[in-house]
Amino acid sequence: MEKGNYGYFDDKLNEYVITSPKTPTPWINYLGGGDYGGIVSNTGGGYSFDRDPRYKRILRYRYNSIPEDQPGRYIYIRDNDNQEYWSATWQPVKAAYDHYQCRHGLGYTTISHIRSEIASELTYFVPLDKKIELWWLKLRNQSQRVRHISLFSYAEFCFFDAAKDQQNVDWVQQIQQGSFENGCIFWNAFMKTWEYIFFTASIAPHSFDTSRDQFIGKYRDLANPQAVETGQCGNSIAHRGNGVGSFCHQFELAPGAEIELVYALGTSPDKNETPAMIQSLIAPASVKNLFLQLKNYWNDYLASFQVETPDTCLNLMLNTWNPYQCKTTFNWSRFVSLYQLGIDRGMGLRDSAQDILGIVHAIPVKARELLLKLIHCQFKDGHTYHLFYPLTGEGTMGEAQGGKYNWYSDDHLWLIEAVVSYLKETGDFSLLTEKVTFAESNQPATVLCHLEQSILFTKRHLGPHGIPLNGFADWNDPLNLDRGKGKAESVWTGMFFCRALNLMAELAAYLGKKAVAKGYQKLYAKIQSAINQYGWDGDWYLQAFDDEGLKVGSKTSIEEQIFLNPQSWAVLSGVADPLRAKTALKKAVELLDTDFGLVMLFPAYKEFRDDRGGISTYPPGAKENAGIFTHTNPWFIIAELLSGNNDDAYRHYSKIIPIYKNAIADRHEVEPYVYCQNILGKEHPQYGLGRNSWLTGTASWAYVAGTQYLLGIRPHYDGLWIEPHIPSDWKEFKVERYFRGIKLTISCSRSYPSGIYLNGVLLESANLVPFQKLNKETPNFIEVGISE
Amino acid sequence: MEKGNYGYFDDKLNEYVITSPKTPTPWINYLGGGDYGGIVSNTGGGYSFDRDPRYKRILRYRYNSIPEDQPGRYIYIRDNDNQEYWSATWQPVKAAYDHYQCRHGLGYTTISHIRSEIASELTYFVPLDKKIELWWLKLRNQSQRVRHISLFSYAEFCFFDAAKDQQNVDWVQQIQQGSFENGCIFWNAFMKTWEYIFFTASIAPHSFDTSRDQFIGKYRDLANPQAVETGQCGNSIAHRGNGVGSFCHQFELAPGAEIELVYALGTSPDKNETPAMIQSLIAPASVKNLFLQLKNYWNDYLASFQVETPDTCLNLMLNTWNPYQCKTTFNWSRFVSLYQLGIDRGMGLRDSAQDILGIVHAIPVKARELLLKLIHCQFKDGHTYHLFYPLTGEGTMGEAQGGKYNWYSDDHLWLIEAVVSYLKETGDFSLLTEKVTFAESNQPATVLCHLEQSILFTKRHLGPHGIPLNGFADWNDPLNLDRGKGKAESVWTGMFFCRALNLMAELAAYLGKKAVAKGYQKLYAKIQSAINQYGWDGDWYLQAFDDEGLKVGSKTSIEEQIFLNPQSWAVLSGVADPLRAKTALKKAVELLDTDFGLVMLFPAYKEFRDDRGGISTYPPGAKENAGIFTHTNPWFIIAELLSGNNDDAYRHYSKIIPIYKNAIADRHEVEPYVYCQNILGKEHPQYGLGRNSWLTGTASWAYVAGTQYLLGIRPHYDGLWIEPHIPSDWKEFKVERYFRGIKLTISCSRSYPSGIYLNGVLLESANLVPFQKLNKETPNFIEVGISE
């Protein structure tokens, strides 16, 4: 792992180290564990919110604005001996520096900076299970003389309702007010129907500002605020307008002296209790302890699955960055990033369902909690909301409108995938009998009944070819085929439905319900047959039939000849026979592969098509219109692995690993430590450019593909299924994994004899390690002979 | 009219001259005549749109952002001999200057600037009846040496859908594209379902940029774009992302030499036709001519009503700035300003209805067009939309939700006020038989029938005291009394209803429908009696009864003891007898008057009250919660005038005239040449601070109060009613006015004998100048003796 133009991986500390503030896009990190949190960039840009970025925003951020990536969590450092000043995070002053470094770690970001022999180290984090964020500053005089330094913080407050903050300037500007009491700056709306935002510091300030206008000054900006230029805040109380949390601290620093200063930001229902509650928490000793707790949390989290393979990049992904990204997608779905504003979307039902796959091994209790929220998004007829807001529970159908149907054909089926993955990981079948109400009523039903409703909904919505209707869209959101007739069918949904039927049949069988299982199998056979009769185009599977019954994704077309997903899912669902599977996968590679992964379809739509909808609003090569939609690549990889094409699969896997983008950061632009949702495809002039880093289903599916299919360590109702599909030039690999609370050390090697040895004893099955046979108290060592 | 800290009035040129770029808020002007247009500040900040700021935005603007008042229509001037650069509008570079001046004229703004002996004069305007805007630059070398200058334009394009531009960054950034063909920069969405934005210049450029990133450079901003620093654009074609129209022109200027360069911005359905169409238009000679046409238009417009009184400030308001503001409110209702973002609100039904009162004498044909649009917003049951979008016609009920009713009690009644004002001004009764469809159906009805429906709706929605129900709110938008019972009544609406009944009765009588007139009179008497029986609080009228039937605006309360509007409208409606009128007006002055006008109510709500709603979300003294809501002041002034309190009325009038704020601009902050909607009241710490300049019903009502009641020149069905209510120390005044196409010169003087002399002949009536008696071909001279 070489150093790139902008940074490198520090795998000892589990940090990505950014060495230049001028990254091609802001390279961000997430703070918080899913409740209080926010984003922070490598120059301190970003914002905060308390559980819900739409309705409880705390810090403002200006997307897509100039200057870019502002505002943020800033500290100005002023040398009072010569009136020079700079920022501890480079932005917003952007002064020259002697040293700059940003370390994005797991749940924290540290930015260190030196100028004029004044060294600062600023760490942002949200303590575990606390609804506050801390800015932990260490400032050191590295010179041989006494220095006089003023520090100015800058937190720009947002109206809790982030949409109104932008859109109802008239009202919001009249009703917000600031105050300063007991060392705390408070910010709130006059009517106080919500809580206060508070901002405080571990040392009493020299002066403060709550009014943004006062702090900045007229026709100045964040690069040259009036308060910083003049050397002190104005003790302004904002009676209206825009608010900031700015404290001015003044220090005399002896040669070599270091001070620590901690700022805390959060919300509070009460002005009086806040200061006392916070002060003990933010004493430097306490903060150090809170930080260690966070570090330990993540060490424990990652320990739930660790690998050692010949591929150090793969190791780094699977051991650190991929599970970290999975946790982030689990926290925020597709709601809040540099590309999603935390306002309109809310959490995605299908997105969150898939996000569960990437975290269920580590935090099954949290997975269960979210599952129950998702299941409550189901209507009695079986379809679900497409989106929901985490704090209010309020759901919507997303963009679905304009056709006959306002539902997506796949949302509800993802509940099955997620629940089954929870059951197999945990063995906790009590979930199935848990009662959850439907979205539109107080009527409860068991989780199992909800899953059955999912199946029934699709069963009741089959099209003219006996293939599931497309509704507003299938997983491919902007492919909007329903023009009012409601006749469009999704071949892909048919396959996904088959996979769901397989899972339900397997579950029913495991529960001893043979007749039920048989029913699912029968329906599976019917759909499978329809797909193979009507959905096969000769060399690959169609994507769909449009509202006129015409083929979508056929060689007979000029555009949209082939879609990626149906080829992958023909295998994932078991719908394709081996010959068709082989043919389809081969053709997919031939027509869709690029240097950075497979594109969604080929050839791209060259102009807007009313009968295809949203997908054709994108230029050729962008997003779903023949872009590399990274999420779909792990599905294809799994299909290749299931088909035994291990080397091909590994090659595909390597193409999408973000670490390799570190060397081409100027082209790829987005963060090299996390997967991004989309990369412009070969038909786009900016081929290779990534966007929508962080919040993408790629995270959980790349994790599933890597751990469960490539390494082949797959939870099952009865135990752990072990079936590696490693590349031919690998000799061995090792996994340490916790399974239902029990630690397993799994060594797989081509030099071992065939079969699985559990604690030295050869098991009956060539793949299954039965849970019952595991030592519950002492460590388990598993040796697996790879004979492929 | 003294010079203020920031500027002065040039009454010869009808311009306000701003002498410092650092005005307390951006001081703006409007471009365009209601179709293509936008706003422009004194430093070039602002944005553009083609007819609809929501769905056809052209230039972006960032509200409430840092740096403030950016972006805008910028030209960078670079001295290539020393690489220094600055902006022709001061912003965004904010370099030091030797001269700066901004002249806001009628429909145009000229900013002149000198630095390093390079003088620029930049004029923005929209030519009459054209859907383009021009930036007309003159650049002069004032030095004695040859100069080498590069110019860089900056127009930051917006996605047509301005809401999506802000909120769906993910999509919008992927689909926008730039191109450069035949000297034109084009910007459009890939799917091309809308038109192109184009930007071009009268001289072929040296180079260009369409990509904002390329022009600005990474981590730079508008103060130091990379292209300007390096001295040339990069000929960038944006395949995605943010777009700009930037041309680089390079000139060698001999000593004393001047060049002219014209930029044009607009939309076009076709890339090929645009360049040719525009090029001839923007040759400097053509532009000069277009500018003269605009000047002539406004000279003619203002000539429709000119006054000469002893009060030069009043003259300046009534002759220039007030009618100019009235035209602006007529164009944009409350939709697009520095406070209203041109996204959510749309046009206001009641707002536009009132706006018509301020322009109907000058542009009756346009008034008729808008009236028909407004009337189409009425539902069959008589209530109307609260808001509507001008381009799509789509309407909404605004914020009305949460109670039993989702309508405002007054919206539909304003149609009567507006139609009657049109009829009296024009005598064009064909309007009444025009057929207009209802909002929810294709069923047409005559305009007269629509007005009758307005009356019937209110008649059918009377409350327990026989007073009209409040619905979601009356004119006082945020006083939301309906908590679900739907019992709250608005005394003010009762008065407004009475005034509407009066107007309808008068109209019916004029149309010869005696029985109908009698019906209205009977209903009037009934409502009047209910108001006087239940709505009188002893010294003033109540505002309302809340949803529990309790008094709102009563001396028995601690807060909200008295509201302004019911006292004014008790007179405007004729509901109060002279004694009650006198008492109520006196008490209103006693309790509500301030240095800057009367506040809406007193005492303010001190905390949020769920039973009062929105009004109590504002802090005491802000907006409707006891702020000076300027709109209400002309109503009170009219009431004073109708009650014969001429000196008091004149005193109130003088308090709200914005010209007087020129001397206290640092306190008042907003533009001194137009009325603002609200001024913080005496209960607010920032008492005197204005906001929401420009778009306020104050414009039309101050105009009506000044021209029709103070000067007393009031159109009537039969002719012109003349009944001056001038202050006691005025001796005389003169008005030149067109009435139904006929020019009248009206001289009023205390030294004339009683009565009215038309062309030297004493008229029968002491007030009415019958239309039939006017000379149709030759000028008319009217002398009025003032005997009060």
Side-chain angles (χ1 to χ4, degrees), chain A residues 310-547:
Chain A
D311 182 338
T312 53
C313 285
L314 185 69
N315 295 346
L316 185 56
M317 284 311 296
L318 292 181
N319 290 337
T320 304
W321 293 99
N322 196 347
Y324 182 55
Q325 183 177 5
C326 284
K327 178 61 164 50
T328 308
T329 63
F330 172 75
N331 290 344
W332 298 118
S333 191
R334 312 295 171 266
F335 196 7
V336 50
S337 72
L338 275 190
Y339 310 91
Q340 288 116 341
L341 286 67
I343 292 182
D344 269 355
R345 285 186 51 95
M347 308 278 279
L349 185 108
R350 78 149 85 92
D351 303 318
S352 287
Q354 293 173 80
D355 296 339
I356 285 172
L357 310 182
I359 56 88
V360 65
H361 66 289
I363 44 170
V365 176
K366 295 256 178 198
R368 196 182 204 273
E369 280 169 20
L370 182 58
L371 269 173
L372 294 176
K373 275 194 197 178
L374 300 182
I375 291 165
H376 173 60
C377 287
Q378 186 172 47
F379 290 84
K380 282 196 273 183
D381 72 353
H383 86 288
T384 63
Y385 282 128
H386 187 62
L387 303 169
F388 69 101
Y389 289 97
L391 203 56
T392 64
E394 177 199 344
T396 74
M397 298 313 295
E399 305 243 312
Q401 54 185 351
K404 181 171 178 186
Y405 297 116
N406 77 336
W407 39 260
Y408 293 70
S409 60
D410 62 322
D411 277 333
H412 49 287
L413 297 172
W414 288 106
L415 295 178
I416 295 168
E417 194 83 33
V419 167
V420 166
S421 116
Y422 173 82
L423 297 176
K424 289 183 173 176
E425 180 68 49
T426 62
D428 169 23
F429 284 86
S430 76
L431 177 69
L432 288 178
T433 51
E434 184 99 8
K435 289 194 168 177
V436 181
T437 54
F438 289 98
E440 83 273 46
S441 80
N442 288 324
Q443 190 189 322
T446 64
V447 168
L448 184 60
C449 168
H450 276 275
L451 301 188
E452 289 162 355
Q453 287 307 110
S454 291
I455 295 291
L456 285 174
F457 183 81
T458 301
K459 188 181 170 186
R460 281 194 295 260
H461 291 91
L462 301 177
H465 299 92
I467 290 171
L469 291 175
N470 194 65
F472 175 72
D474 67 18
W475 178 89
N476 191 346
D477 275 342
L479 182 61
N480 312 125
L481 303 173
D482 176 358
R483 303 183 76 199
K485 293 186 180 167
K487 282 174 59 183
E489 294 165 283
S490 165
V491 174
W492 174 84
T493 302
M495 295 168 173
F496 182 46
F497 186 45
C498 280
R499 181 173 161 106
L501 287 166
N502 259 345
L503 294 175
M504 289 297 283
E506 183 191 39
L507 176 60
Y510 185 78
L511 295 174
K513 302 180 176 181
K514 286 188 188 170
V516 176
K518 212 159 188 175
Y520 289 132
Q521 283 157 356
K522 217 172 133 189
L523 183 53
Y524 178 99
K526 192 180 140 196
I527 305 289
Q528 178 186 34
S529 155
I531 292 173
N532 277 310
Q533 185 175 353
Y534 303 111
W536 179 249
D537 196 48
D539 283 317
W540 56 75
Y541 285 95
L542 301 175
Q543 160 70 27
F545 293 95
D546 72 12
D547 223 21

Side-chain angles (χ1 to χ4, degrees), chain A residues 11 23 32 67 212 225 286 291 306 312 328 333 338 419 445 462 565 641 657 737 758 763 769:
Chain A
D11 48 359
T23 47
R212 191 182 84 173
S286 156
F291 187 65
Q306 288 287 299
T312 53
T328 308
S333 191
L338 275 190
V419 167
L462 301 177
N565 284 344
L641 292 166
I657 284 186
R737 188 198 205 283
L758 171 61
L763 294 175
V769 180

Side-chain angles (χ1 to χ4, degrees), chain A residues 527-646:
Chain A
I527 305 289
Q528 178 186 34
S529 155
I531 292 173
N532 277 310
Q533 185 175 353
Y534 303 111
W536 179 249
D537 196 48
D539 283 317
W540 56 75
Y541 285 95
L542 301 175
Q543 160 70 27
F545 293 95
D546 72 12
D547 223 21
E548 305 298 328
L550 302 173
K551 296 174 181 179
V552 180
S554 163
K555 62 177 74 171
T556 57
S557 307
I558 296 169
E559 299 168 341
E560 51 147 40
Q561 287 178 358
I562 177 171
F563 284 74
L564 178 59
N565 284 344
Q567 321 322 322
S568 314
W569 284 79
V571 179
L572 268 69
S573 62
V575 160
D577 63 37
L579 180 62
R580 283 193 171 180
K582 191 179 163 188
T583 311
L585 294 181
K586 193 165 157 259
K587 281 291 176 184
V589 172
E590 196 179 307
L591 294 167
L592 302 173
D593 201 20
T594 79
D595 294 342
F596 307 110
L598 292 95
V599 297
M600 279 276 280
L601 71 93
F602 180 82
Y605 298 103
K606 299 299 185 297
E607 57 186 22
F608 180 69
R609 285 182 60 173
D610 200 43
D611 60 351
R612 295 296 180 265
I615 195 167
S616 61
T617 64
Y618 292 109
K623 297 270 280 193
E624 284 91 342
N625 188 13
I628 301 156
F629 211 85
T630 325
H631 189 155
T632 58
N633 277 255
W635 291 338
F636 190 76
I637 290 162
I638 294 170
E640 291 268 39
L641 292 166
L642 290 175
S643 306
N645 307 325
N646 299 355

Side-chain angles (χ1 to χ4, degrees), chain A residues 24 64 167 170 218 242 623, chain B residues 24 64 167 170 218 242 623:
Chain A
N64 200 21
Q167 293 156 25
D170 183 11
K218 281 275 160 217
N242 292 299
K623 297 270 280 193
Chain B
N64 200 20
Q167 293 156 25
D170 183 11
K218 280 275 159 216
N242 292 300
K623 297 269 280 195

Side-chain angles (χ1 to χ4, degrees), chain A residues 55-70:
Chain A
Y55 290 109
K56 218 155 169 209
R57 191 74 65 102
I58 293 173
L59 293 185
R60 265 202 193 136
Y61 188 71
R62 292 184 265 282
Y63 280 86
N64 200 21
S65 186
I66 303 173
E68 65 189 288
D69 193 25
Q70 289 189 10

Side-chain angles (χ1 to χ4, degrees), chain B residues 329-516:
Chain B
T329 63
F330 172 76
N331 290 344
W332 298 117
S333 190
R334 312 295 171 266
F335 196 7
V336 51
S337 72
L338 275 191
Y339 310 91
Q340 289 117 337
L341 286 67
I343 292 183
D344 269 356
R345 287 185 49 97
M347 308 278 279
L349 186 107
R350 78 150 86 92
D351 303 318
S352 287
Q354 293 173 80
D355 296 340
I356 284 171
L357 310 182
I359 55 88
V360 64
H361 66 289
I363 44 170
V365 175
K366 295 256 178 199
R368 195 182 205 272
E369 280 170 20
L370 182 58
L371 269 173
L372 295 175
K373 276 193 199 180
L374 300 183
I375 291 164
H376 172 60
C377 287
Q378 186 172 46
F379 290 85
K380 282 196 274 184
D381 73 354
H383 87 288
T384 64
Y385 281 128
H386 187 62
L387 303 169
F388 68 101
Y389 289 97
L391 202 56
T392 65
E394 179 199 343
T396 75
M397 297 313 296
E399 306 243 312
Q401 54 186 348
K404 181 169 178 189
Y405 297 116
N406 77 336
W407 39 260
Y408 292 72
S409 60
D410 63 323
D411 276 334
H412 49 286
L413 296 172
W414 288 106
L415 295 178
I416 295 167
E417 193 83 34
V419 167
V420 165
S421 118
Y422 173 82
L423 297 176
K424 288 184 173 176
E425 179 68 49
T426 62
D428 168 24
F429 282 87
S430 75
L431 176 70
L432 289 178
T433 50
E434 184 99 8
K435 288 195 170 179
V436 181
T437 54
F438 288 99
E440 83 273 46
S441 80
N442 288 324
Q443 190 189 323
T446 64
V447 167
L448 184 59
C449 168
H450 276 275
L451 301 188
E452 288 161 355
Q453 286 307 110
S454 292
I455 295 291
L456 284 175
F457 183 80
T458 301
K459 187 181 170 188
R460 280 193 297 258
H461 290 91
L462 301 178
H465 298 95
I467 291 172
L469 291 175
N470 195 63
F472 175 72
D474 67 17
W475 177 89
N476 191 346
D477 276 340
L479 182 61
N480 312 126
L481 303 173
D482 175 358
R483 302 182 78 200
K485 294 186 179 164
K487 282 174 58 185
E489 295 166 281
S490 164
V491 173
W492 174 83
T493 303
M495 295 168 173
F496 182 45
F497 187 44
C498 281
R499 180 171 161 107
L501 288 165
N502 259 345
L503 293 175
M504 289 298 283
E506 182 191 41
L507 177 59
Y510 186 78
L511 296 174
K513 301 179 177 183
K514 285 190 188 170
V516 176

Side-chain angles (χ1 to χ4, degrees), chain A residues 195-384:
Chain A
E195 299 181 306
Y196 297 86
I197 295 172
F198 73 83
F199 187 68
T200 188
S202 60
I203 300 174
H206 166 274
S207 48
F208 68 89
D209 271 313
T210 73
S211 156
R212 191 182 84 173
D213 279 359
Q214 284 281 320
F215 178 79
I216 303 273
K218 281 275 160 217
Y219 296 98
R220 291 173 167 275
D221 58 47
L222 285 172
N224 64 352
Q226 182 173 275
V228 180
E229 285 221 345
T230 59
Q232 56 182 8
C233 289
N235 294 343
S236 59
I237 300 294
H239 301 291
R240 58 177 308 288
N242 292 299
V244 293
S246 182
F247 290 123
C248 168
H249 287 88
Q250 302 191 340
F251 298 101
E252 182 176 289
L253 287 180
E258 180 176 290
I259 55 122
E260 283 189 57
L261 177 59
V262 182
Y263 303 88
L265 174 66
T267 66
S268 167
D270 191 302
K271 271 186 172 185
N272 296 319
E273 289 178 16
T274 313
M277 176 187 86
I278 296 298
Q279 278 304 324
S280 62
L281 211 63
I282 63 175
S286 156
V287 168
K288 195 173 174 184
N289 191 39
L290 293 170
F291 187 65
L292 281 178
Q293 283 173 19
L294 180 68
K295 283 262 202 185
N296 290 337
Y297 169 84
W298 275 106
N299 286 339
D300 291 350
Y301 187 104
L302 298 182
S304 59
F305 199 109
Q306 288 287 299
V307 307
E308 208 183 303
T309 79
D311 182 338
T312 53
C313 285
L314 185 69
N315 295 346
L316 185 56
M317 284 311 296
L318 292 181
N319 290 337
T320 304
W321 293 99
N322 196 347
Y324 182 55
Q325 183 177 5
C326 284
K327 178 61 164 50
T328 308
T329 63
F330 172 75
N331 290 344
W332 298 118
S333 191
R334 312 295 171 266
F335 196 7
V336 50
S337 72
L338 275 190
Y339 310 91
Q340 288 116 341
L341 286 67
I343 292 182
D344 269 355
R345 285 186 51 95
M347 308 278 279
L349 185 108
R350 78 149 85 92
D351 303 318
S352 287
Q354 293 173 80
D355 296 339
I356 285 172
L357 310 182
I359 56 88
V360 65
H361 66 289
I363 44 170
V365 176
K366 295 256 178 198
R368 196 182 204 273
E369 280 169 20
L370 182 58
L371 269 173
L372 294 176
K373 275 194 197 178
L374 300 182
I375 291 165
H376 173 60
C377 287
Q378 186 172 47
F379 290 84
K380 282 196 273 183
D381 72 353
H383 86 288
T384 63

